[in-house]
Amino acid sequence: MPDGCAGRRDGGCRVCPVRARSELNVLDDFDLGTIGHAKRRLEYRTGEAVFAMGDANRGLYCLSAGVVAVRKLAPDGQSVLLSLAYPGALLGYRALLDGGEHKTSAETLGPAVVCRIDQGTISAVLRRNPELTLELLRRAVREVDNAHEAIVNHATLSNRGRLLHLLVDLLNRHSRTDRDGTLVLELPVSRRDLASMVGTRQETLSRIIGRIEEDGLAAFSGRRVRVPRLDPLLRELEDCRCG
Amino acid sequence: MPDGCAGRRDGGCRVCPVRARSELNVLDDFDLGTIGHAKRRLEYRTGEAVFAMGDANRGLYCLSAGVVAVRKLAPDGQSVLLSLAYPGALLGYRALLDGGEHKTSAETLGPAVVCRIDQGTISAVLRRNPELTLELLRRAVREVDNAHEAIVNHATLSNRGRLLHLLVDLLNRHSRTDRDGTLVLELPVSRRDLASMVGTRQETLSRIIGRIEEDGLAAFSGRRVRVPRLDPLLRELEDCRCG
DNA sequence: CGCCAGGTTGATTTCGCTCAAGCAATGTGG
DNA sequence: CCACATTGCTTGAGCGAAATCAACCTGGCG
């Protein structure tokens, strides 16, 4: 089981420390009790699908522990990794709102725990709490902004620039500092997925990584990345943007 | 002045045929009266900015007539055309919601009329109408989906494929059928912007257009595009996707 | 031991970018 | 009314980056 005691039966959502980080934290005790009763706690192993593109909406998912990849399948079969979700993230809210099928798929990248709140319950709670709607709206707005930024990055940065950008993001998200001050990052994804996020082929990615290592910006070894100094990385990024 | 009698003083928003197509159509007469009083009708000429990236939020904009380009300025100065807005579209709702600066700019592509509802008024109306929040949420969700689709297209389609895709979109949006059955499309944007939407340089775009003309799929002449048959265009698009 | 998935490396080719010139339409000032 | 600049678009030549195809590691596993 992954770390985090979230989603346990005892106390339900009311005391769930992960839930408190999600948009659901605007709910009062009553509604938390309601969804705490109605929710189902689901445990996944690596690589399982929480939902898949084309699936009918079955409610709202609250990621309690683990990391989930949000992908979209292109008509030609190849998949594009759109984003990573971490504990506290709500998944499937888009399909919930337009009542249609999921337009993305969510797949665990490691052991994970997800709580599902069935459609009837969450709809009722939503109707009772405009606050929650507003919070979801803010979330959606952030997501639009992120997507726009991704589009702009894709249009203006080089492959190398995008990889560096992604690295900085991931470093901010989950890196620890070694005793000698180097940042250590455990990549949550495979090379293939990494390439998909950067928007290139895995072979090309491999070469880019090689060049980054030559430049001494970072050292890759399997899924472990060691970054001795963050500054040169950021400086490089600035150069990519403005040059 | 562009076509459409929308946004006139007489009757205010209540009778505005354009407003009825926007998310504001969930409001009742009372609230429509409120915003009808508070709104200001703004007339723009070609190429003027409704708001610019970095501007403080000044309320919600309802596009009444004309076409508006939504852009994002990259740090290096080049601009990326993210989407086009048509009458009935609400603009600036994202900055309104997170209370921060505009993260995109909106610029008229021709003479246009926009109604601005100041922040105080629209905020009050929003508080009173969870319906409207929900409607905006649906809108935001659609926008996320669109952005995701754009990302996937960018990752999987060729330049030619993306241009064809864009053409089909634009044909659906505003083309008229000639007497001999050919579709005639008046492009709302310059070559430069077209290139930005496709994600390429204008020179490259020019060559792609040349090849499309050679293949007899469409004839470009300035901003006028004539498409004799839609089917082969769609077939090509399918090929681009699956091949 | 052989197999296999995930990853790297190499050789080749294709594609799109850059720089540069050309061209048509439009505007401007003398 | 004409010389001249400006703008928007097209065309061309050369080059560099990345896709493609293919071979080759390397570690895990039956």
Side-chain angles (χ1 to χ4, degrees), chain A residues 175-184 226-230:
Chain A
S175 71
R176 47 169 234 272
T177 309
D178 217 353
R179 66 183 49 177
D180 62 346
T182 71
L183 297 169
V184 180
R226 296 175 58 84
V227 178
R229 300 279 303 128
L230 192 55

Side-chain angles (χ1 to χ4, degrees), chain A:
Chain A
M1 254 318 93
D3 60 331
C5 56
R8 309 185 286 199
R9 272 176 210 82
D10 43 298
C13 298
R14 244 186 293 238
V15 298
C16 177
V18 170
R19 184 273 310 156
R21 269 185 281 147
S22 84
E23 283 81 11
L24 296 177
N25 73 344
V26 296
L27 294 181
D28 59 24
D29 268 7
F30 176 74
D31 281 318
L32 285 179
T34 305
I35 65 175
H37 262 100
K39 75 146 202 284
R40 274 199 55 185
R41 183 175 185 275
L42 306 167
E43 301 189 357
Y44 294 92
R45 306 197 301 175
T46 303
E48 289 186 301
V50 178
F51 52 82
M53 225 173 118
D55 281 1
N57 156 50
R58 299 189 57 190
L60 184 66
Y61 299 83
C62 181
L63 179 54
S64 187
V67 183
V68 166
V70 178
R71 296 171 203 277
K72 209 169 165 76
L73 225 68
D76 66 350
Q78 64 184 288
S79 82
V80 179
L81 183 48
L82 290 171
S83 67
L84 299 175
Y86 298 92
L90 295 184
L91 299 170
Y93 77 102
R94 286 181 287 128
L96 177 71
L97 283 161
D98 64 13
E101 312 175 327
H102 286 286
K103 293 195 182 61
T104 54
S105 58
E107 177 202 321
T108 60
L109 289 175
V113 177
V114 179
C115 295
R116 183 177 73 219
I117 310 164
D118 69 282
Q119 186 176 350
T121 304
I122 192 64
S123 295
V125 171
L126 262 173
R127 266 192 299 278
R128 209 163 34 233
N129 292 274
E131 298 295 317
L132 181 56
T133 312
L134 187 59
E135 212 53 36
L136 285 180
L137 177 49
R138 292 221 176 85
R139 151 79 184 276
V141 164
R142 274 198 307 278
E143 229 164 316
V144 172
D145 284 340
N146 287 342
H148 281 176
E149 209 198 327
I151 291 174
V152 170
N153 279 341
H154 216 274
T156 59
L157 261 60
S158 63
N159 281 342
R160 180 192 174 105
R162 284 201 298 279
L163 177 57
L164 290 175
H165 182 90
L166 182 56
L167 266 185
V168 172
D169 264 14
L170 290 171
L171 283 168
N172 283 335
R173 174 71 62 174
H174 42 197
S175 71
R176 47 169 234 272
T177 309
D178 217 353
R179 66 183 49 177
D180 62 346
T182 71
L183 297 169
V184 180
L185 166 64
E186 199 74 26
L187 292 176
V189 292
S190 69
R191 286 284 192 278
R192 176 177 293 273
D193 278 336
L194 210 55
S196 165
M197 294 183 89
V198 173
T200 184
R201 301 284 150 179
Q202 41 185 349
E203 297 99 319
T204 307
L205 181 77
S206 188
R207 295 179 229 271
I208 294 171
I209 287 178
R211 262 177 272 147
I212 286 179
E213 288 191 311
E214 276 178 22
D215 299 348
L217 293 174
F220 291 69
S221 150
R223 292 202 173 185
R224 175 153 297 169
V225 188
R226 296 175 58 84
V227 178
R229 300 279 303 128
L230 192 55
D231 301 13
L233 227 150
L234 295 173
R235 195 135 14 87
E236 260 272 337
L237 202 47
E238 282 312 303
D239 284 0
C240 284
R241 278 199 226 277
C242 305

Side-chain angles (χ1 to χ4, degrees), chain B residues 12 40 43 54-55 90 108 152-153 155 210 243:
Chain B
R40 275 198 54 185
E43 299 188 357
D55 280 1
L90 296 184
T108 59
V152 169
N153 280 341

